Amino acid sequence: MRLSREKLNKLASAATEQLAGLKNVEFLEGYDDIRQEIRRLLEDLLAGEERLDKAARLKIESQRRIIPEGTPEWNILYHKYYNEEVKKLGI
């Protein structure tokens, strides 16, 4: 999934505000440092998800016959291959 820089910043800001609002959470770094780190983590997570998606799609495309995207067969294979890629990561 691709998100604009603006949307990532909004998500990171919202997450930082939620953390700051918790009484058991104390920031040892500045608010902006925390927000930037959350944004970096979100970018890493989205990039990882994109790699998993591409790997699953490549496996479907490598089938001997063409399987149209959106069909029940394609959806089953996509979830199967996506989950296989996740398992390879040990998640």
Side-chain angles (χ1 to χ4, degrees), residues 1 23-24 39-40 44 53-54 62 70:
M1 169 184 278
K23 51 184 162 176
N24 295 337
R39 185 173 154 258
R40 188 192 63 75
D44 291 348
D53 177 72
K54 283 182 182 179
S62 69

Side-chain angles (χ1 to χ4, degrees), residues 39-79:
R39 185 173 154 258
R40 188 192 63 75
L41 289 169
L42 287 170
E43 287 174 338
D44 291 348
L45 285 170
L46 291 172
E49 193 278 330
E50 191 171 328
R51 284 190 297 274
L52 294 172
D53 177 72
K54 283 182 182 179
R57 289 174 182 276
L58 283 173
K59 284 184 178 182
I60 293 171
E61 290 172 7
S62 69
Q63 301 293 316
R64 289 186 181 179
R65 60 187 176 81
I66 296 173
I67 302 169
E69 185 172 345
T71 63
E73 182 181 13
W74 189 93
N75 290 332
I76 289 168
L77 288 174
Y78 178 83
H79 290 292

Side-chain angles (χ1 to χ4, degrees), residues 2-51:
R2 292 192 182 243
L3 294 176
S4 70
R5 184 177 179 96
E6 183 180 311
K7 287 182 182 178
L8 278 173
N9 285 332
K10 276 188 174 183
L11 281 172
S13 292
T16 305
E17 289 174 18
Q18 288 294 316
L19 287 172
L22 297 174
K23 51 184 162 176
N24 295 337
V25 174
E26 179 182 342
F27 288 168
L28 301 177
E29 300 288 330
Y31 182 90
D32 282 339
D33 293 334
I34 301 295
R35 183 188 52 78
Q36 289 174 359
E37 183 62 19
I38 290 173
R39 185 173 154 258
R40 188 192 63 75
L41 289 169
L42 287 170
E43 287 174 338
D44 291 348
L45 285 170
L46 291 172
E49 193 278 330
E50 191 171 328
R51 284 190 297 274

